[in-house]
Amino acid sequence: MVSLVIGTQWGDEGKGKIVDLLSKETDFVVRFHGGNNAGHSIIVDGKKYAFHLIPSGILHPQAIGVIANGVILDLEVLVSEIQMLANEQIDLSKKLIISPRCHLILPYHKALDLAYENARGKEKLGTTGRGIGPALADKVSYNGIRIYELLDWKNFEEKFKFQAKIKNEIIKTFNVKPIEISKELKKLKSLREIILPFIKDTYEILQKAVTEKKNILLEGAHGVMLDIDFSPYPYSTGSNVITGAVNTGTGIAIKSIEQVWGVVKAYTSRVGGGPIPTEIFDKTAEQIREVGHEYGTTTGRPRRIGWLDLEATKFACQISDITDLAITKIDILSGLKKIKICMGYKLNGKSISYSSCGYNELAKLTPVYMELPGWNEDITKVREFKHLPKTCQDYIKFIEKFLGVKISIVSVGPAREEYIKL
Ligand code: GDP
Ligand code: IMO
Ligand code: MG
């Protein structure tokens, strides 16, 4: 069975937790797009893990982690994650494979990302600063360097020097310190030694796994509202986030995917710039941010907070052909007297859909809200739907009815066991 997990909002919906939860009997857990701009946190046996590149199901003993061709990766981050797991006595030598087709995020990409952001000043986009945009720009302009080149160090060295010299000229125009080419090469050479044994043809391995009907879980990163094509560009991330990215990012045919999980956080959060139609700035936002620990897993930035936006989420469900929903962080809403939920948008008195909006429209429109009563009880220990407070049940059922997609998991806490299966 091939399943996919997709974030339906602006990222940080709790995908990592859901992937870990679903990986119990999974043979392969696969990252297929994005890079280490992703930050997926999971809590297992009281210990917190934050993964940026290594698939979140890796802690299950049988699960093989796959970093497929669609991922762009920073060797330093990858090696630090491998070492972090080694310190936990988790040996990845037979548990992780990386495609030679993955493009590398190199030091000059990070320098360029930050230089562009600084140059934008007040208009900055709020990227994660991980070099994502510049690395993907290099990929499509044939200036990228893939893991493949690491197989032949001389080749890599040549390509790196060529690109780094050009990039340094650009970096200097921003009045930013250029990268030190020989120092960076030395570092990359030692990282290469650690990575080489993991490089395998992930395409072939995954095709065989599909044919043999193995369980494959595809781990989406980011959220549909950040998709490079279907977000309010340029307030986007550099990759496609929707289901279609699986085919280009792994080689697996879309028709092989039997189940698409949409992860929906019970409210909205976002890091970085760009409009959020349902954003709130009052005490409720502060309460949700503090109780929900809404600070970025990757950058530690405070996340912006809003009410659940069902207009946007409905779009995400439609475009990604979502079959099952996992609602997360519903426990964080405990204690709110009233909970608002956005059911549509109005602009100049007329209804407008999410897909018809660019960033200008999203910033100006008025959300149409429904207000539902809240609940006071701590629900983190609840394991059966019928034991949830009635108003909480109603909130969940309202979401399910509006989106027309069945809710199969309700997550009531960050730990692996804190969930209700429906
Ligand atoms: P991801 O990027 O979608 O994987 O999400 P992040 O890991 O960046 O952010 C989600 C945060 O919420 C993490 O700190 C999780 O441990 C936590 N989390 C996930 N699900 C739940 C939940 O149901 N309740 C609570 N309280 N926390 C959750
Ligand atoms: P996970 O997988 C939240 C956002 C950044 C920024 C924009 C562009 O943890 O849900 P980038 O560095 O990608 O060029 O930044 O995209 N962004 C995310 N926000 N969670 C993520 O991933 C994100 N990945 C990218 O904050 O607004
Ligand atoms: Mg995250």
Side-chain angles (χ1 to χ4, degrees):
M1 167 131 179
V2 183
S3 316
L4 165 64
V5 171
I6 280 191
T8 61
Q9 294 154 302
W10 280 265
D12 305 327
E13 296 89 349
K15 298 174 291 293
K17 148 126 197 205
I18 300 302
V19 167
D20 170 63
L21 196 62
L22 297 174
S23 295
K24 202 171 158 206
E25 285 168 3
T26 289
D27 300 299
F28 296 94
V29 195
V30 187
R31 277 285 308 269
F32 59 93
H33 69 147
N36 50 283
N37 45 348
H40 298 175
S41 310
I42 59 176
I43 298 183
V44 179
D45 296 333
K47 190 169 167 39
K48 186 168 175 166
Y49 299 82
F51 294 119
H52 302 283
L53 285 167
I54 292 191
S56 301
I58 199 78
L59 299 178
H60 293 276
Q62 84 297 343
I64 308 264
V66 181
I67 300 181
N69 60 281
V71 176
I72 51 172
L73 56 84
D74 183 327
L75 290 179
E76 213 173 338
V77 175
L78 182 60
V79 166
S80 76
E81 280 181 31
I82 293 172
Q83 278 163 355
M84 178 267 288
L85 289 172
N87 294 342
E88 297 292 318
Q89 319 309 325
I90 301 169
D91 172 18
L92 292 186
S93 57
K94 293 199 173 60
K95 260 178 83 67
L96 180 69
I97 51 176
I98 304 168
S99 169
R101 291 188 164 90
C102 292
H103 278 251
L104 290 166
I105 301 177
L106 292 161
Y108 48 76
H109 292 130
K110 288 179 270 186
L112 277 172
D113 193 356
L114 295 171
Y116 271 110
E117 279 291 79
N118 288 336
R120 285 182 191 115
K122 278 211 314 271
E123 301 299 315
K124 77 171 173 193
L125 302 172
T127 72
T128 59
R130 299 305 189 255
I132 302 299
L136 286 165
D138 268 1
K139 175 176 174 176
V140 296
S141 60
Y142 324 121
N143 290 307
I145 303 182
R146 304 193 301 173
I147 288 200
Y148 177 78
E149 307 297 351
L150 287 174
L151 299 172
D152 176 345
W153 179 251
K154 278 265 154 292
N155 219 6
F156 176 84
E157 206 173 27
E158 221 172 87
K159 285 186 190 294
F160 181 80
K161 280 185 186 158
F162 176 74
Q163 289 297 333
K165 275 186 198 149
I166 297 171
K167 299 302 193 300
N168 270 348
E169 291 306 311
I170 307 173
I171 290 167
K172 278 191 262 176
T173 66
F174 287 103
N175 288 326
V176 175
K177 197 170 157 254
I179 65 153
E180 292 176 48
I181 298 179
S182 54
K183 194 176 124 199
E184 296 298 345
L185 267 171
K186 208 167 146 207
K187 202 163 33 164
L188 286 162
K189 197 169 185 189
S190 66
L191 293 169
R192 168 187 182 262
E193 297 304 318
I194 303 171
I195 291 301
L196 282 179
F198 297 101
I199 304 175
K200 301 254 158 63
D201 179 3
T202 57
Y203 172 79
E204 202 164 72
I205 292 165
L206 290 173
Q207 289 297 318
K208 187 161 175 277
V210 172
T211 310
E212 291 174 354
K213 306 230 174 301
K214 298 270 195 223
N215 285 327
I216 300 174
L217 183 62
L218 299 149
E219 176 174 359
H222 330 303
V224 170
M225 300 305 137
L226 294 169
D227 183 271
I228 186 71
D229 286 290
F230 287 97
S231 63
Y233 185 94
Y235 299 103
S236 321
T237 187
S239 54
N240 279 115
V241 174
I242 56 176
T243 302
V246 169
N247 190 214
T248 53
T250 65
I252 295 175
I254 301 301
K255 72 171 170 28
S256 307
I257 306 172
E258 288 167 60
Q259 199 173 26
V260 183
W261 287 86
V263 186
V264 181
K265 180 147 49 180
Y267 49 91
T268 294
S269 76
R270 196 223 201 285
V271 276
I276 306 172
T278 61
E279 185 164 15
I280 47 172
F281 303 92
D282 56 7
K283 280 215 153 51
T284 306
E286 250 168 67
Q287 180 181 332
I288 292 176
R289 184 177 305 110
E290 293 315 313
V291 180
H293 306 292
E294 291 297 353
Y295 292 87
T297 305
T298 300
T299 58
R301 292 178 288 179
R303 294 176 182 152
R304 297 157 65 195
I305 303 295
W307 297 115
L308 178 58
D309 182 343
L310 288 182
E311 170 61 29
T313 311
K314 194 168 185 133
F315 170 82
C317 291
Q318 185 182 51
I319 195 165
S320 281
D321 211 4
I322 284 167
T323 60
D324 293 74
L325 294 173
I327 307 292
T328 59
K329 302 196 91 161
I330 188 101
D331 52 302
I332 303 304
L333 299 181
S334 290
L336 296 182
K337 279 202 169 58
K338 300 263 180 217
I339 303 172
K340 284 189 181 180
I341 195 160
C342 167
M343 301 163 55
Y345 302 154
K346 287 254 162 144
L347 186 64
N348 303 325
K350 287 196 189 124
S351 294
I352 185 165
S353 66
Y354 169 82
S355 72
S356 308
C357 294
Y359 60 86
N360 275 327
E361 290 75 17
L362 286 176
K364 280 192 237 147
L365 58 77
T366 311
V368 178
Y369 284 117
M370 169 93 168
E371 203 170 65
L372 299 175
W375 58 93
N376 261 324
E377 296 86 335
D378 172 6
I379 57 170
T380 53
K381 302 263 175 327
V382 176
R383 297 292 174 264
E384 280 188 62
F385 188 76
K386 63 179 184 211
H387 294 147
L388 286 170
K390 172 77 174 57
T391 46
C392 180
Q393 291 186 21
D394 290 346
Y395 184 70
I396 294 165
K397 286 283 165 205
F398 186 89
I399 298 170
E400 183 170 63
K401 189 157 179 233
F402 188 97
L403 297 177
V405 182
K406 68 175 181 295
I407 295 177
S408 301
I409 288 176
V410 176
S411 175
V412 291
R416 187 186 266 176
E417 62 282 1
E418 288 172 326
Y419 74 99
I420 298 166
K421 205 169 166 195
L422 272 79

